[in-house]
Amino acid sequence: MSQGVMSVGEDARIFPDVEACIDCGGCVVACKRTWDVPRDEQRISISTMLEGEEAAAGLNAHSAKALRQGQNPGETSVPMQCYHCENAPCVSVCPTDSLFKKENGFVEVRDDLCVGCQYCLSACPFGAPQFPDADEGAAKLFGTGGTMDKCTMCEERQDVGKGPACAEECATDALLVGTAGQIAEELDKRGSASFFNSEAMEIIFGEDAEAF
Amino acid sequence: MTNLDHGKFTRMTTTFHTLLALDVFILFFSGYGLMFNDELWWLVTLMGGSTGVTAVHRIAGLALVALIVFWVLMMLTTSTGRGNFREILMGPDDVAAAIQDFKFVLGMADERHPNARQFAGYKSDDVPLLSYIGKGVIYIFSIELTLLTISGLLIWSKTGVMQYFATKTAAMAFVVFHGLLGVIMLMGVMFHIFEHGFHPAFYPVEVKAFIPRKLIPEEHADTDHDSTGISQLTLAPSWGWATNVMGVLTVIGIVSVLVGSIFDEGYPVPRELVVGGGPTDLLLTVGINVGILVLFIGMALQMYGNLLRVRWQKQLEQEARATATTDGGQVNQPNDD
């Protein structure tokens, strides 16, 4: 099995191996520590589904397989963050072009253009857009969301050859970073699979979703 | 009702028209600041940046809701309101006028139908005060405002519709609907400004929208005219060039906003469908700013219309005072509906 971070920089993608995630919160802490994210904000969070439930017989820790068979996948933890989608819905709906997909593949938000309309929040299937200032001052008074904040996939770290802080910190290598092909191959090697349905995979990887 | 063609708004309507126009102008300036934020960067900055411009748009949106509620209540509860509502209903004559107008344009009719002759200087005995085109403007404006208000409120407060809203398709639908309606309405308002500010008989502003009909004399001093006396008006020397310049600006503004909404990604056109970019952006920036200039001129003209009302009222007061002094009687303030 490879490390979670397989390659960085241009065309690098980030994707969770939910069967490896143990909900330790290491990624959340690493992100906060690296980017000085305040206590009540987070750019990555772990959603634990069916907490305490056992999967269908023989399918514990095989969530994707269970889902494909229409069986109960049992307790499953999914690290949720911006996956810098190939067909990013947030970019499509942004009225001020503050969200855009850069040529190197990163989806970036330009703070000075964001008007806090929260269309991106409605459009993103993964709940990535965060609005930490939504309850403050003018934003609260007028019902806007303030400025949107989300995972940057640690672009600055990747520029100098390091992996995203969350993936580097993950004790179980549940956050995979690399090209779509590398991620698909690694999941296959682990006997794991994508937890998301084909529609979500098409959004995240575009044509490369076929690799999974 | 006067036999003159220009005194058809009550005091309530003139006040409402002014408030609605001001509110709609503010909605346009803030809405198009959001929509064309790159071309109108200065407008966004003037309105306090991203937070300021959304706050202005939402406050003006609330004011619009208040104005609409007030107007509906007035139409329902006052006899003048109910009467005005009956007046704007389309009748068989209006349908006939529309058909005859089409025929007239195609050379298949000798003249326009009386219900289409809004600006031709006829007496109210000859033609209705509101043509089918005038009624159409009210219909279109009302429907657009209603739809923009509903979609705007849904976009603003997502709580109730979140279950339907939390998909890219739903978000796009709201965005495109609100944005495209805004574009259509902007074009309509630009044309409205040109039509009513630069008509040769009314230039530079059509005062019937600003001076209540009770302040307009029922008859001219000389009542021997065959028509309203419109033929005796002299054309302002500046009308020719002013109308040409304003016409060009209006066309550039309308075309630019329309093209901009197709070229500009995101709102209301998604990135996947975007065309253009590059050097065309400069032309669009100029064109869209020209459109905003037309709106500014419109707002200035409507303020000028109100100034004319104030001057007219003062003139009437002075005349009344002069008469009272001569008669030794009481000065009566003009009252209105």
Side-chain angles (χ1 to χ4, degrees), chain B residues 34 46 64 239 282 291 295 325:
Chain B
L34 281 170
L46 273 180
L64 177 65
W239 177 79
L282 180 63
L295 288 183
T325 311

Side-chain angles (χ1 to χ4, degrees), chain A residues 1-13:
Chain A
M1 189 173 87
S2 308
Q3 293 289 311
V5 180
M6 293 167 283
S7 66
V8 296
E10 196 164 327
D11 295 330
R13 313 302 311 274

Side-chain angles (χ1 to χ4, degrees), chain A residues 87 89 91-97 99-101 112-119 121-123 138-139 142-144, chain B residues 34-35 37-38 50-51 53-55 58-59 155-156 158 162 165-168 171-172 175 264-267 270-272:
Chain A
N87 298 318
V91 173
S92 287
V93 299
C94 180
T96 60
D97 306 339
L99 276 159
F100 68 112
K101 189 162 177 69
D112 53 342
L113 288 181
C114 177
V115 295
C117 67
Q118 297 177 309
Y119 292 146
L121 180 61
S122 298
F142 298 111
T144 65
Chain B
L34 281 170
M35 180 173 176
N37 61 90
D38 34 5
S50 301
T51 308
V53 79
T54 42
R58 288 171 187 211
I59 291 171
I155 288 168
W156 184 353
K158 304 186 197 80
M162 198 62 183
F165 199 76
T167 65
K168 178 189 168 188
M172 286 299 298
V175 172
D264 218 28
E265 66 174 55
Y267 197 68
R271 181 165 291 196
E272 293 86 339

